[in-house]
Amino acid sequence: MAKGKRTRAIEQTIDVTKTYTIPEAVKLVKSNAKAKFDESIEIAINLGVDPKYADQQVRSVVSLPAGTGKTIRVAVFAKDKKAEEALAAGADIVGAEDLFEKVSGGFMDFDRVIATPDMMGLVGRLGKVLGPRGLMPNPKVGTVTPNVAQAVKDAKGGAIEFKVEKAGIVHAGIGKASFSDADIERNVNAFLSAVVKARPSGAKGTFVRKISLSSTMGGGVTIDLAEAKG
C-alpha cells in the first residue's frame, strides 16, 4: 500500500539513525501532530525482561504531574462510609453487590476500578470480565485500598498504571498534543523514573533498551537512553 503524503512528510522530519533528548523528541513529535483532533502523546519502552518469569514482572503506577488530558471514569466497590467517601472524592459510580450485578450484566462504562479490601471477595468473581481489560483492582498499584478517597483523586488527577507486555514492552499515553512542551517533558520524565524504579529483581543487564515517543498519527522518535535516569 502506497504511503500517503502526510506519512512521507512526517518520515522526512525524523532521522531514524539518531537518538534525541527529551526536549528535542517532544518538539518533533508535537510538530508532526497535525491531525484534526487532539492527538495523544504515547511512550513505549523496550525493557530487558522476559515477563513469563515471575521475578521479571514490571507493574506499577505513576502520577503524571501534568495529568493525562483524558477524563477518567472511576468505578468503586465500597460500602457505607467508604462508599460515601468515594462519591465525595468524585467517583463516577459506587456500589457493592448492585455494582457487581451491573458489571456481570455487561456494564463497562468506566476506565478504572478501585475497591476496598473487604470487597475483593466479590470483585474477584469478576476476574474474567475485568482481568482481560486490565481493570482488575490490585494492591500493588493502589487500587485495592481502604483509602478510596485518595485513590479516586489520584485516578482523576493523572495517576496511570503500567504493566510490561509479553514482548517486554511498557507503553502508555502520557498527554495530548495540545499540552505545552514543558508539561509533556514533565510527564515523560515522571514515567521514565517510575519505570526505572519498578525494575524487578530478576532483570539482568541493560534494563531500558529503547525509548520511543510518538503521537496517535505520527511516527516514532527514539529518545537517548541516557535520559532514563534512576
Side-chain angles (χ1 to χ4, degrees):
M1 185 179 292
K3 294 180 180 178
K5 288 183 179 179
R6 184 173 181 275
T7 301
R8 290 196 298 271
I10 289 173
E11 288 178 348
Q12 288 172 4
T13 68
I14 300 170
D15 185 348
V16 295
T17 67
K18 179 182 175 181
T19 60
Y20 296 83
T21 65
I22 291 173
E24 288 172 340
V26 168
K27 195 173 292 296
L28 189 51
V29 167
K30 279 194 64 178
S31 70
N32 283 323
K34 296 177 180 176
K36 292 180 180 178
F37 61 93
D38 192 7
E39 295 184 45
S40 291
I41 304 297
E42 299 166 359
I43 190 168
I45 306 174
N46 296 58
L47 301 175
V49 297
D50 187 342
K52 72 180 180 183
Y53 296 107
D55 66 348
Q56 294 189 45
Q57 292 292 320
V58 179
R59 183 174 188 178
S60 190
V61 65
V62 56
S63 289
L64 299 178
T68 62
K70 296 180 180 179
T71 300
I72 303 299
R73 300 162 300 172
V74 180
V76 179
F77 283 87
K79 285 183 175 180
D80 305 323
K81 186 180 178 182
K82 293 298 179 184
E84 293 172 10
E85 291 175 4
L87 281 170
D92 297 274
I93 182 166
V94 179
E97 286 79 6
D98 56 333
L99 182 53
F100 173 86
E101 293 299 333
K102 285 187 74 170
V103 175
S104 297
F107 175 79
M108 294 295 293
D109 194 17
F110 46 80
D111 308 294
R112 188 76 49 85
V113 181
I114 294 165
T116 53
D118 61 303
M119 286 282 99
M120 284 309 294
L122 185 68
V123 179
R125 290 157 53 193
L126 294 170
K128 289 184 179 179
V129 178
L130 300 177
R133 294 172 172 83
L135 293 170
M136 194 67 185
N138 188 309
K140 291 183 179 179
V141 294
T143 47
V144 178
T145 173
N147 192 355
V148 289
Q150 188 60 51
V152 169
K153 289 175 183 175
D154 288 345
K156 291 282 189 178
I160 60 169
E161 296 178 35
F162 60 86
K163 181 180 180 181
V164 68
E165 299 175 351
K166 287 182 180 179
I169 297 171
V170 167
H171 71 85
I174 47 89
K176 293 285 188 178
S178 59
F179 281 21
S180 68
D181 288 16
D183 279 347
I184 298 174
E185 289 171 27
R186 288 165 64 211
N187 281 357
V188 169
N189 280 311
F191 190 83
L192 281 174
S193 178
V195 170
V196 170
K197 278 184 186 173
R199 177 174 182 146
S201 59
K204 307 298 180 187
T206 302
F207 180 52
V208 178
R209 295 187 172 178
K210 184 180 180 182
I211 310 163
S212 180
L213 196 69
S214 63
S215 65
T216 306
M217 305 295 289
V221 176
T222 303
I223 293 175
D224 192 327
L225 293 178
E227 299 283 279
K229 305 176 183 69

